[in-house]
Amino acid sequence: MKDEKIVEVDNALSLDEETLFEVSQTFKALSDPTRVRILHLLLQKEFSVNEIAENLQLRQSTVSHQLRFLKNLRLVKYRREGTTLYYSQDDEHVFNLLKQSIEHAKHQ
Amino acid sequence: MKDEKIVEVDNALSLDEETLFEVSQTFKALSDPTRVRILHLLLQKEFSVNEIAENLQLRQSTVSHQLRFLKNLRLVKYRREGTTLYYSQDDEHVFNLLKQSIEHAKHQ
DNA sequence: TGTATATATTAACATATGCTCATATAATAA
DNA sequence: TTATTATATGAGCATATGTTAATATATACA
């Protein structure tokens, strides 16, 4: 009798642990109103930490903490200019999800 | 001097309180691995509460709680057959977001 | 009526999350 | 070097979240 081969199932929509983690992590980034507001602002253009705080009426540390979160997930990046850090989009797919969902929510 | 008119700004991507709430709520539904697994299962076909629990190795009450959550957001619906409730998809847009994200995550 | 089965609900608990204040760090300029 | 400005970090706190066991409810059937 021949050896059975273990076949790796990999449908387009199968859901291994790693994918499950990444998908839910990504959505978690978009599940908090403060982060959504920050990301929404960055749809326009890059902003410094203080500019984001002023624009959205948030504390500097709140913004900084959330930017760290978003940076860890590689959803945003920054460039430095002196002491100022300008944050901007770094994940086309996620920003598209956000745009898509905002537009959809408004046409409900 | 003429009266100033208050102009409602309503770009496709402006973000009023209501939209902000709905968008982040929707993503919150997709931010928990257990809920993602349940929704992912429902991509196939309808399942009863117990079937979901068996399939995903979860407690009946865990599944029931999460289904209530998803039902409140109108992401799933059910039909009754005797004492059995069959849950199924009830939001094409959100299920599309999920499919899209799973596929994207796998090609990272 | 009583029993069995499927699901929902409640309360308790542990953990996660988000915000804040205070302070640290980093870069620049005087 | 010291002072200034921008940002990051750590700790504490209140609240939110997810799971669980136990129990309640609802339907069907004998």
Side-chain angles (χ1 to χ4, degrees):
Chain A
M1 188 181 182
K2 289 188 182 161
D3 290 335
E4 302 271 337
K5 247 196 178 165
I6 294 168
V7 180
E8 291 268 338
V9 179
D10 190 26
N11 307 322
L13 288 178
S14 72
L15 193 55
D16 58 288
E17 267 303 312
E18 196 186 330
T19 305
L20 176 63
F21 181 75
E22 187 177 332
V23 166
S24 44
Q25 273 285 107
T26 298
F27 285 124
K28 182 158 294 176
L30 299 165
S31 71
D32 174 68
T34 299
R35 286 193 292 271
V36 170
R37 293 175 74 211
I38 292 173
L39 294 171
H40 175 255
L41 190 64
L42 296 182
L43 281 173
Q44 287 178 42
K45 62 176 182 71
E46 64 174 14
F47 284 94
S48 74
V49 178
N50 276 337
E51 287 172 338
I52 295 172
E54 286 164 29
N55 247 285
L56 306 181
Q57 293 285 88
L58 298 168
R59 309 274 172 172
Q60 179 266 325
S61 70
T62 298
V63 174
S64 183
H65 280 301
Q66 296 295 8
L67 285 172
R68 178 169 60 172
F69 181 105
L70 297 170
K71 183 74 172 54
N72 285 340
L73 291 183
R74 298 171 196 276
L75 302 192
V76 301
K77 61 180 190 291
Y78 63 77
R79 68 179 181 83
R80 177 179 290 280
E81 201 165 289
T83 54
T84 304
L85 302 184
Y86 289 96
Y87 280 83
S88 59
Q89 305 178 34
D90 197 30
D91 187 317
E92 202 188 340
H93 180 251
V94 171
F95 277 87
N96 281 338
L97 285 180
L98 179 59
K99 280 191 273 185
Q100 207 179 309
S101 298
I102 291 175
E103 290 180 34
H104 186 262
K106 303 178 79 160
H107 302 142
Q108 283 292 61
Chain B
M1 190 182 182
K2 290 189 185 159
D3 291 335
E4 303 272 337
K5 245 196 180 164
I6 294 166
V7 179
E8 291 269 337
V9 178
D10 189 28
N11 307 321
L13 288 178
S14 70
L15 193 54
D16 56 288
E17 268 301 312
E18 197 186 329
T19 304
L20 175 63
F21 181 76
E22 188 178 330
V23 167
S24 43
Q25 274 284 108
T26 298
F27 285 125
K28 182 159 294 176
L30 299 164
S31 72
D32 174 68
T34 299
R35 285 192 294 271
V36 169
R37 294 175 72 212
I38 292 173
L39 293 171
H40 175 255
L41 189 65
L42 296 182
L43 282 173
Q44 288 179 43
K45 62 177 182 71
E46 63 174 16
F47 284 95
S48 73
V49 178
N50 276 337
E51 288 173 340
I52 295 172
E54 287 164 29
N55 246 285
L56 306 182
Q57 293 285 87
L58 298 168
R59 308 278 172 166
Q60 179 265 324
S61 70
T62 298
V63 174
S64 183
H65 279 303
Q66 296 295 7
L67 286 172
R68 180 169 60 171
F69 182 104
L70 297 170
K71 183 74 171 53
N72 286 339
L73 292 182
R74 298 170 195 276
L75 302 190
V76 302
K77 61 180 188 293
Y78 63 78
R79 69 177 180 84
R80 177 181 289 278
E81 201 165 291
T83 54
T84 304
L85 301 185
Y86 290 97
Y87 280 83
S88 60
Q89 306 179 32
D90 197 30
D91 188 316
E92 203 188 338
H93 180 252
V94 171
F95 278 86
N96 281 337
L97 287 179
L98 179 60
K99 280 191 274 186
Q100 209 179 307
S101 298
I102 291 174
E103 290 179 33
H104 185 262
K106 303 176 80 159
H107 303 141
Q108 283 291 64

